[in-house]
């Protein structure tokens, strides 16, 4: 029902520097991310997807503690944990999800969705982003776009089908066609 952008969602979480093949890379504990979601189904799965098509499910009880997402360095974003056999990682993640929430990494999502040049930047087709992250809708659904500053824009299904997001490094911008709709988005919610 909600697709979050990773960077603004996790900006207030203290990173853990995880050692991976000799380099210490910034990582975020999954349990701290899960606490930000309104509704986590304890019997559900934590699903991770990579840009090469690999999908892996873990139980939520397994990922709640001492399970991290490495967000810098080689193969990032990637899942990692102390009791994890290296080589069993989901590397170059496009997104991860629970039953109700998904979180995307736009810099990797760009590798698997349709794109369009928007003012010299690569725009990701919002329909593809939402479908790839697992959101489904009906013909009468509408969507709320929520900004990092809690601003809210409502869009129809038809408008969503002509919308793009552009990863501008520190912020993600929503466009409809060539027109900027919201500058710094945090998440997209299905109404």
């Amino acid at each position: 029902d909600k697709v979050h952008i990773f960077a603004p969602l996790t900006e207030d979480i203290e990173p853990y520097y995880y050692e991976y093949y000799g380099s210490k890379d910034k990582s975020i504990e999954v349990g701290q991310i899960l606490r930000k979601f309104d509704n986590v189904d304890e019997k559900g799965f934590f699903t991770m997807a990579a840009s090469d098509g690999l999908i892996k499910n873990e139980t939520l009880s397994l990922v709640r503690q001492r399970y991290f997402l490495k967000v810098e360095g080689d193969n990032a974003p990637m899942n990692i944990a102390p009791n994890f056999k290296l080589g069993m990682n989901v590397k170059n993640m496009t997104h991860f999800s629970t039953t109700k929430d998904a979180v995307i990494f736009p810099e990797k999502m760009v590798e698997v969705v349709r794109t369009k040049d928007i003012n010299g930047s690569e725009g990701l087709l919002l329909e593809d982003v939402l479908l790839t992250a697992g959101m489904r809708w009906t013909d009468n659904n509408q969507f709320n776009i929520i900004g990092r500053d809690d601003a809210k824009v409502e869009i129809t299904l038809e408008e969503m089908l002509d919308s793009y997001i552009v990863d501008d490094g520190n912020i993600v911008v929503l466009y409809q066609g060539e027109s900027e709709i919201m500058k710094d988005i945090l998440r997209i919610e299905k109404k």
Side-chain angles (χ1 to χ4, degrees), residues 80-120:
I80 199 158
N83 58 350
F84 216 67
K85 287 185 179 147
L86 292 179
M88 300 299 290
N89 313 81
V90 179
K91 300 172 183 174
N92 300 306
M93 253 185 240
T94 56
H95 68 283
F96 61 88
S97 62
T98 62
T99 308
K100 297 280 185 190
D101 294 88
V103 179
I104 65 165
F105 297 95
E107 70 277 14
K108 293 296 177 186
M109 188 66 80
V110 71
E111 298 174 19
V112 299
V113 299
R114 289 177 283 178
T115 61
K116 171 181 166 180
D117 180 84
I118 297 181
N119 305 326

Side-chain angles (χ1 to χ4, degrees), residues 124-138:
L124 287 67
L125 182 63
L126 186 57
E127 174 188 15
D128 286 3
V129 169
L130 298 179
L131 286 170
T132 301
M135 186 182 280
R136 300 294 179 261
W137 52 81
T138 61

Side-chain angles (χ1 to χ4, degrees), residues 3-166:
V3 174
H4 306 262
I5 311 297
F6 183 81
L9 176 70
T10 61
E11 69 186 351
D12 62 344
I13 296 176
E14 186 70 31
Y16 174 82
Y17 287 87
Y18 207 100
E19 189 160 340
Y20 179 73
Y21 290 114
S23 72
K24 286 201 172 196
D25 299 317
K26 181 178 172 182
S27 302
I28 304 293
E29 188 174 7
V30 170
Q32 292 189 49
I33 298 169
L34 295 176
R35 284 194 278 278
K36 292 180 164 269
F37 298 157
D38 295 332
N39 186 9
V40 177
D41 177 3
E42 292 304 321
K43 293 180 175 72
F45 287 98
F46 183 78
T47 301
M48 298 161 280
S51 57
D52 66 2
L54 174 68
I55 295 175
K56 184 174 185 182
N57 291 310
E58 297 282 12
T59 61
L60 279 166
S61 59
L62 178 75
V63 302
R64 277 220 179 265
Q65 295 179 325
R66 308 277 306 137
Y67 199 97
F68 300 87
L69 296 177
K70 184 174 90 72
V71 294
E72 289 180 344
D74 288 346
N75 302 316
M78 176 177 85
N79 62 327
I80 199 158
N83 58 350
F84 216 67
K85 287 185 179 147
L86 292 179
M88 300 299 290
N89 313 81
V90 179
K91 300 172 183 174
N92 300 306
M93 253 185 240
T94 56
H95 68 283
F96 61 88
S97 62
T98 62
T99 308
K100 297 280 185 190
D101 294 88
V103 179
I104 65 165
F105 297 95
E107 70 277 14
K108 293 296 177 186
M109 188 66 80
V110 71
E111 298 174 19
V112 299
V113 299
R114 289 177 283 178
T115 61
K116 171 181 166 180
D117 180 84
I118 297 181
N119 305 326
S121 295
E122 203 160 17
L124 287 67
L125 182 63
L126 186 57
E127 174 188 15
D128 286 3
V129 169
L130 298 179
L131 286 170
T132 301
M135 186 182 280
R136 300 294 179 261
W137 52 81
T138 61
D139 289 342
N140 59 355
N141 270 117
Q142 295 196 344
F143 303 84
N144 287 330
I145 313 300
I146 310 297
R148 196 183 301 209
D149 60 359
D150 290 330
K152 181 169 84 170
V153 172
E154 294 181 19
I155 61 173
T156 64
L157 176 62
E158 192 173 282
E159 291 168 325
M160 184 275 289
L161 297 174
D162 187 39
S163 293
Y164 292 83
I165 58 173
V166 172

